[in-house]
Amino acid sequence: MPEASAVASRVPPSKALRGRINAVGAAVFVLGLGVWELAVRTGLLDFAYLPPPSDVVVGLGELIETGQLQGALAHTLFVALSGWALAGLLGVAAGSVLGLVRPVWRYSMASLEALRALPIVAFVPVAVLLYGFSARMEIVVACYAALWPILLNTISGMRTEQRLIEVGAVLRLSRPAVLWKIRLPAATAQIVVGLRLGLSISLVLTLVAEMVGNPAGLGFLLVDKAEALQPAQMFAGVFVVGVAGIVLNALLMVAARLAFRGQLNAAGEGG
Amino acid sequence: MTRSSEPTGHGTGSAAGTDSPGATNGTDGTDSISCEGVGVTLSGSSGALDVLGGVDISVARGEFVSILGTSGSGKTTLLRVLGGLLPATTGTVRCHGSVVTGPADGVVTVFQDYVHSLLPWRTVRRNVGLGIEAGCDRAERDERVDEALIMVGLRQRADEYPWRLSGGMQQRVQIARALATRPRVLLMDEPFGALDAMTKASLQDQLQQVQELTATTVVFVTHDVEEAVYLSDRVLVLDGSPAAIGLALDIPLERPRHQVTTKESADYLRLRHRVYEALGHDIGERARLGEHDHA
Ligand SMILES: Nc1ncnc2c1ncn2[C@@H]1O[C@H](COP(=O)(O)OP(=O)(O)O)[C@@H](O)[C@H]1O
Ligand SMILES: [Mg+2]
């Protein structure tokens, strides 16, 4: 979008960077790791299968060396992102229709509410039954999970302020132009919120589907290592899952800020 | 906001790109915009409310007409009817000969709440271009946007986002957006109502200049007597319940007008007095009616 490059950020870049890298937070995190290491080494924490962080690092090295981690991570990311992207397309399209066309909204809201009340995890066995132990099953689960926040946020974002719609009418914008130039941009900040929520829940449900369904990816790696009594490697897997979630969210925010600078700034969510 | 209307629903197919280059302005005697026997009944929480009844207005091409009234007298409602944003319950609105059923071609409304009327994700330049993107190629659009921005004195701030500008500047952006479409009729709903006195005065003079330059017909809603008399060729006072035109007063002050000298002239003071009288009488009557209600 042309407006993305129009104006410099409100905060100078060095200051913005300093604001984002939280030194105190990082220190507390490192301190926590130190305490954990000490507590395990001194026997203060006495679980049979709780490794100290240093062992987890070793476990991580082993996982990388055997190539298990790369394979599992690639699989999980592929599935989670595919499901999420699919949900993004479906959710924004369906949410726009539901938000814009009153009758559709009125007739389908009851069914949507009922479906939403069903915990998403309960849907996993259903998907396994329908699609078998396959990546396709995982994608369906991830997509279904991510669909909800995206759909609901799009619907509510589409409730554009009446005044803006009147501006479109007064300037005699065509219906597609009102949708494209007013309603969708006005909903962008909220749609991005939906996409963020959708991405994290897509990752979670992908892991669940891998734990109880398809034996592949990081989810399966975690249960597999736990059953094989290799806690160091299992904890390494948990660590990778956490980092993956954080990195995905950060990437999404960067992409959204680049693409929708004006919209997010206007909504007070700009960088 | 008023929510009873259906701004996009009714009327004129809202085709894109229907701006009229070289619109024929100038007072040739025919009406620019007019309404006949307009009545509006709105359904509020306490039942139906007759806001307007039997309003007749005709505005000549190039004329500057103010509609004055106390708060809640139905000024906004009337302007929305003229702008095709609200269908009249009775009566008809005509614009350049054809009956208005929706926002008409060449008629642009400027809203009071500029904050909600500008697209915050677009720069000033792209806000001003909003109404002419479909009908003009890039070069012409840029030219017309620049022209409009120069008219309101915002050429320097073109690449700024509107929410970084002062209230007065934001309202100028909205006016520039209307001007960029080269409207034949400008409908303005208390456009300077939310601004401080100094900004208000300077925007009044800017509007005066723009109108002189473009010969646009202006219907200007305000509750400020001085503003109405200062700017207008004619002042209409909205009066009664349901409201109709109570007083129609020609303002034959010479143009261009000046904030100081015009407002000191005996003619100005006399006209202002008459308008105040019309409004004051109105207020007195309402107060008495209120007493009756309580009794
Ligand atoms: N959407 C609506 N529904 C019901 N009543 C309304 C609506 N909009 C305005 N009114 C009523 O109509 C009257 C005139 O309103 P308005 O035209 O906004 O007055 P003004 O602009 O002169 O202050 C007021 O009494 C107001 O309460
Ligand atoms: Mg009003």
Side-chain angles (χ1 to χ4, degrees), chain A:
Chain A
M1 298 233 153
E3 58 248 54
S5 60
V7 181
S9 169
R10 264 171 294 179
V11 251
S14 62
K15 210 170 173 183
L17 204 65
R18 244 181 288 139
R20 230 165 264 167
I21 295 172
N22 183 346
V24 180
V28 168
F29 181 72
V30 172
L31 190 73
L33 285 181
V35 170
W36 174 3
E37 180 85 34
L38 266 179
V40 176
R41 294 256 177 240
T42 56
L44 210 64
L45 270 177
D46 189 20
F47 291 98
Y49 296 111
L50 182 66
S54 51
D55 285 5
V56 175
V57 173
V58 174
L60 185 65
E62 291 164 4
L63 280 180
I64 293 174
E65 222 166 282
T66 56
Q68 291 176 78
L69 180 69
Q70 293 90 319
L73 183 62
H75 176 88
T76 298
L77 285 184
F78 169 74
V79 166
L81 286 173
S82 306
W84 171 76
L86 209 59
L89 289 177
L90 283 174
V92 173
S96 302
V97 172
L98 284 167
L100 293 178
V101 189
R102 276 267 128 191
V104 179
W105 185 82
R106 208 173 316 123
Y107 291 129
S108 48
M109 218 48 203
S111 324
L112 286 177
E113 287 295 337
L115 265 181
R116 192 166 70 105
L118 189 75
I120 296 168
V121 181
F123 185 73
V124 176
V126 179
V128 172
L129 206 60
L130 292 178
Y131 294 98
F133 301 112
S134 63
R136 192 153 68 127
M137 176 276 288
E138 288 184 61
I139 292 178
V140 168
V141 169
C143 175
Y144 180 77
L147 190 62
W148 288 106
I150 298 174
L151 182 74
L152 296 175
N153 275 286
T154 305
I155 291 175
S156 106
M158 279 295 159
R159 257 178 252 130
T160 320
E161 242 178 279
Q162 190 65 17
R163 176 64 78 228
L164 282 185
I165 300 305
E166 288 180 358
V167 165
V170 158
L171 296 174
R172 297 171 63 87
L173 265 53
S174 63
R175 275 173 155 269
V178 169
L179 177 64
W180 189 246
K181 293 178 181 176
I182 295 182
R183 284 190 185 267
L184 275 173
T188 298
Q190 190 144 15
I191 293 176
V192 169
V193 169
L195 288 173
R196 283 174 74 178
L197 292 172
L199 187 56
S200 47
I201 197 157
S202 159
L203 184 61
V204 170
L205 264 290
T206 300
L207 293 171
V208 171
E210 287 168 350
M211 286 174 181
V212 304
N214 193 26
L218 283 175
F220 178 67
L221 184 101
L222 293 185
V223 254
D224 189 43
K225 293 302 173 191
E227 281 168 5
L229 300 184
Q230 286 177 311
Q233 293 192 5
M234 193 200 75
F235 269 93
V238 171
F239 171 75
V240 169
V241 166
V243 171
I246 294 170
V247 168
L248 282 183
N249 186 45
L251 284 179
L252 176 60
M253 276 325 283
V254 168
R257 285 211 187 97
L258 282 179
F260 307 118
R261 174 81 160 267
Q263 284 92 323
L264 296 185
N265 268 342
E269 293 197 21

Side-chain angles (χ1 to χ4, degrees), chain B residues 221-244:
Chain B
V221 160
T222 179
H223 63 253
D224 179 337
V225 174
E226 262 124 71
E227 181 171 62
V229 174
Y230 179 68
L231 286 172
S232 312
D233 297 318
R234 196 149 50 100
V235 172
L236 308 175
V237 176
L238 218 47
D239 181 17
S241 177

